[in-house]
């Protein structure tokens, strides 16, 4: 087993000399990628199991909402705290704990005998995921001390994250067709056992050499504030601006404001506020939120279009997302070459521009639009996401010092969750509002009560149309198909405009030198003496700022 890695200056062993990173770092990356794949898969695998699960467990509408939402609520709330705890307690130890929790929760979810037990198991799954996700990034930061190699590793990491979310519906569909609904959770157990054994054997331990005092108040503010805000986003997307949405949203913003004020004032904050003084870090975090904003809502709208308008099965819908995965697998590795040579600015511009351009392809979607149009758009979004996510992760993790990598990883992962939640809530709400407006006009032969039910959403309209005889049912379905396609197109146009504006902001606010590996900086990598000579260091200044200073010199 590897010795403990000292985080001072990026990777000494056992308190001795400097090393260029863990000798078995690529095997370590394999373990981390496998675990991240499973965690990302669990974000989407449940979607195809919901109809069967609803029939067998018979949850109420509120319970069903909690079964779906509690996972992301717990994950979003705990990521920052779990990331900083990993820095303190040991990242390998914390990662292994995450594997144990995630595996046990998966078994409990698979054999749940009622809605309450499944909700509890899903919450425990969220805890395991919140431990695993920032641990994977912070371990990559510590075992890959060479900047170019780390960019390659982060490209693999981004690909695995996208792969898990993309293949989740496919794997879920296969399991449901051949086994029972609980099998979508049970497949996690042997993978977690394998990952645990591999982590114990291969992953080197690393931790903050002199951790500051734990900020209990800051952690509580972070957890409660983020859970309140994410709950408000999810509830608002499903129910609109009800009192519950407004109260929890305001509470979340107040608590997070208090967290920011505390982080700026206390001597030992939950995370290092100096990270956000670096423009590359701040813009990268914002870009992650907005890139996920584009992708999360799109998945929701696409699956509805394919299943309710086109009649595709859940598994067929999952297979149709494969261009997204394949393009991500191409885009992310390309960035491992572009970022060190040309910098973060151009890599993120390419990524956000590709995603935005892909949404413009979808602005003219019709009920009879052929699949190849969607495939082109998905390929553009996948390639763009691979570019943007790899560049953003590189900027975020290179800004952070190795000793506080877990906190930075928690911030990045939280931005993923917030972006996805905002996307589903905002894009879903806008599309629903546009759909209802398009459905305002009555359909001949359809009574007003049926029309009111049909205006609730595409699924409701298709259900009502199926109960109506003859031409009335056909006309209602045609009207609903057209209304949804129009709403889809307008939402895509707005999202495309936002993402192009983000690409422009990236050009304006990220320094040209950010992320580039110059010969001087490359020579200083892993050499503390050379690093101090080449890079004019100021106390508390983030690592990326120091790299930029070296570039200018």
């Amino acid at each position: 087993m590897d010795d403990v890695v000292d985080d001072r200056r990026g990777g000494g062993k056992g308190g001795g000399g400097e090393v260029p990173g863990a000798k078995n770092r690529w095997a370590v990356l394999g373990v981390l990628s496998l675990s991240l794949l499973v965690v990302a898969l669990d974000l989407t695998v449940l979607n195809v199991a919901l109809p069967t699960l609803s029939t067998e467990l018979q949850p109420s509408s509120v319970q069903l909402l909690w079964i779906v939402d509690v996972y992301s609520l717990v994950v979003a709330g705990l990521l920052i705290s779990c990331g900083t705890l990993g820095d303190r307690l040991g990242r390998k130890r914390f990662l292994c704990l995450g594997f144990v929790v995630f595996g046990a929760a998966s078994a409990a979810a698979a054999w749940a005998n009622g809605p309450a037990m499944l909700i509890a198991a899903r919450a425990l799954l969220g805890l395991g995921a919140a431990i695993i996700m920032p641990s994977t990034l912070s371990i990559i930061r510590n075992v890959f001390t060479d900047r170019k190699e780390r960019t390659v590793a982060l490209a693999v990491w981004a690909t695995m994250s996208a792969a898990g979310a993309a293949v989740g519906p496919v794997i879920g569909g296969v399991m449901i067709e051949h086994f029972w609904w609980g099998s979508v959770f049970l497949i996690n157990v042997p993978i977690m056992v394998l990952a645990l054994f591999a982590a114990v054997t291969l992953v080197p331990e690393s931790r903050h050499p002199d951790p500051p005092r734990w900020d209990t108040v800051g952690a509580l503010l972070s957890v409660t504030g983020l859970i309140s805000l994410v709950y408000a986003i999810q509830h608002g997307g499903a129910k609109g601006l009800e009192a519950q949405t407004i109260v929890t949203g305001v509470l979340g913003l107040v608590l997070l404001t208090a967290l920011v004020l505390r982080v700026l004032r206390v001597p030992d904050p939950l995370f290092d506020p100096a990270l956000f003084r670096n423009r590359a870090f701040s813009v990268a975090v914002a870009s992650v939120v907005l890139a996920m904003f584009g992708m999360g809502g799109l998945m929701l709208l696409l699956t509805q279009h394919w299943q309710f308008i086109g009649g595709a099965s859940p598994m067929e819908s999952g297979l149709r997302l494969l261009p997204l995965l394949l393009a991500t697998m191409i885009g992310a590795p390309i960035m491992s070459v572009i970022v060190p040579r040309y910098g973060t600015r151009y890599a993120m511009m390419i990524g956000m521009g590709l995603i935005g351009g892909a949404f413009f392809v979808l602005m003219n979607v019709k009920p009879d639009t052929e699949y190849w149009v969607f495939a082109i758009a998905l390929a553009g979004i996948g390639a763009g996401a691979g570019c943007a996510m790899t560049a953003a992760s590189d900027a975020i993790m290179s800004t952070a010092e190795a000793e506080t990598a877990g906190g930075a990883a928690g911030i990045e992962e939280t931005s993923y969750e917030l972006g996805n939640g905002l996307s589903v809530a905002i894009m879903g709400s806008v599309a629903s509002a546009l759909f209802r407006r398009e459905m305002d006009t009555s359909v001949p032969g359809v009574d007003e009560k049926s029309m009111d039910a049909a205006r609730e959403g595409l699924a409701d309209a298709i259900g009502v149309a199926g109960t109506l005889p003859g031409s009335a049912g056909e006309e209602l379905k045609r009207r609903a198909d057209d209304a949804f396609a129009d709403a889809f197109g307008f939402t895509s146009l707005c999202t495309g405009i936002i993402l192009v504006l983000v690409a422009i902001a990236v050009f304006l606010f990220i320094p040209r030198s950010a992320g580039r590996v110059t010969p001087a900086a490359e020579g200083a990598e892993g050499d503390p003496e050379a690093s101090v000579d080449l890079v004019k260091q100021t106390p508390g200044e983030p690592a990326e700022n120091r790299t930029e200073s070296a570039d200018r010199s």
Side-chain angles (χ1 to χ4, degrees), residues 456-492:
E456 291 299 313
L458 180 61
D460 301 280
I462 300 299
V464 171
T467 65
L468 298 174
S471 60
E474 293 175 1
E475 177 60 22
L476 179 60
K477 183 180 185 308
R478 186 195 65 77
R479 176 75 65 81
D481 290 351
D482 288 339
F484 184 83
D486 290 344
F488 191 152
F490 184 78
T491 305
S492 297

Side-chain angles (χ1 to χ4, degrees), residues 377-512:
L378 285 170
I381 291 170
C387 296
M389 296 304 182
T390 300
S393 294
D394 182 78
I396 291 169
M397 298 314 297
S398 296
T399 300
E401 299 287 359
E403 62 191 18
T404 57
I411 292 171
E412 177 176 352
E413 296 283 6
T414 301
S415 65
Y416 275 90
E417 295 299 320
L418 287 176
N420 186 66
L422 284 169
S423 174
V424 173
I426 295 176
M427 289 182 69
S429 298
V430 170
S432 295
L434 293 171
F435 177 84
R436 285 192 292 269
R437 190 186 69 179
E438 294 286 329
M439 294 289 289
D440 270 349
T441 307
S442 297
V443 174
V446 181
D447 62 273
E448 196 56 34
K449 182 178 179 181
S450 296
M451 282 301 305
D452 287 340
R455 293 186 183 105
E456 291 299 313
L458 180 61
D460 301 280
I462 300 299
V464 171
T467 65
L468 298 174
S471 60
E474 293 175 1
E475 177 60 22
L476 179 60
K477 183 180 185 308
R478 186 195 65 77
R479 176 75 65 81
D481 290 351
D482 288 339
F484 184 83
D486 290 344
F488 191 152
F490 184 78
T491 305
S492 297
L493 172 63
C494 294
T495 306
I497 292 172
I498 290 172
L499 291 167
V500 169
L501 292 175
V502 173
I504 295 172
V506 166
F507 177 79
L508 294 176
F509 293 109
I510 291 187
R512 186 171 63 88

Side-chain angles (χ1 to χ4, degrees), residues 57 59-60 62-71 74 108-109 112 114-126:
L57 293 186
S60 66
V62 174
Q63 287 174 325
L64 187 62
L65 188 65
W66 275 105
I67 288 170
V68 175
D69 290 345
V70 72
Y71 180 81
V74 173
M117 182 176 176
L118 183 56
I119 292 170
R122 288 277 289 168
L124 196 59
L125 273 169

